[in-house]
Amino acid sequence: MPTLRVTFAERRAANDNFVDGDRASHRRQLAIWLEAARAILRVLTTAGFSLLLLLLLSAIVLLGLALVGVFAAGLGVFRLVHKQIPSLLPIYQVDRRAAG
């Protein structure tokens, strides 16, 4: 009784000849694909960590700049109020004779 041979599309060559593939070559090909996937995953992980670190550092710098701006605005308001109403905040007195 003749046996039927089923050939799948991935086991056929471009010229429609039957390609006899062995399991070892499939395992090697799978190992190559897995190694490539690991390399891609390693690169993506490194890039993601670098991006996260860059975002965190940028956020810290911007937060520091915002705090310096708030401090400068508070100091400016304090000096403006003290200049307009000197008796309201008698923290320091400047001797005008010594400034000369």
Side-chain angles (χ1 to χ4, degrees), residues 12-69:
R12 296 185 68 78
N15 59 1
D16 289 338
N17 290 335
F18 182 77
V19 178
D20 190 21
D22 58 329
R23 290 188 186 270
S25 67
H26 289 299
R27 273 192 242 118
R28 280 192 303 267
Q29 188 176 7
L30 181 62
I32 290 171
W33 278 103
L34 288 176
E35 188 64 33
R38 285 189 197 115
I40 290 171
L41 187 62
R42 193 176 311 127
V43 168
L44 288 177
T45 304
T46 304
F49 180 72
S50 299
L51 182 64
L52 180 67
L53 192 63
L54 178 66
L55 288 175
L56 286 175
L57 287 176
S58 298
I60 289 171
V61 168
L62 288 176
L63 186 63
L65 285 174
L67 289 175
V68 167

Side-chain angles (χ1 to χ4, degrees), residues 62-89:
L62 288 176
L63 186 63
L65 285 174
L67 289 175
V68 167
V70 167
F71 178 73
L75 186 62
V77 167
F78 175 76
R79 289 185 59 120
L80 184 63
V81 168
H82 190 269
K83 186 176 181 181
Q84 297 298 322
I85 311 170
S87 62
L88 184 65
L89 300 167

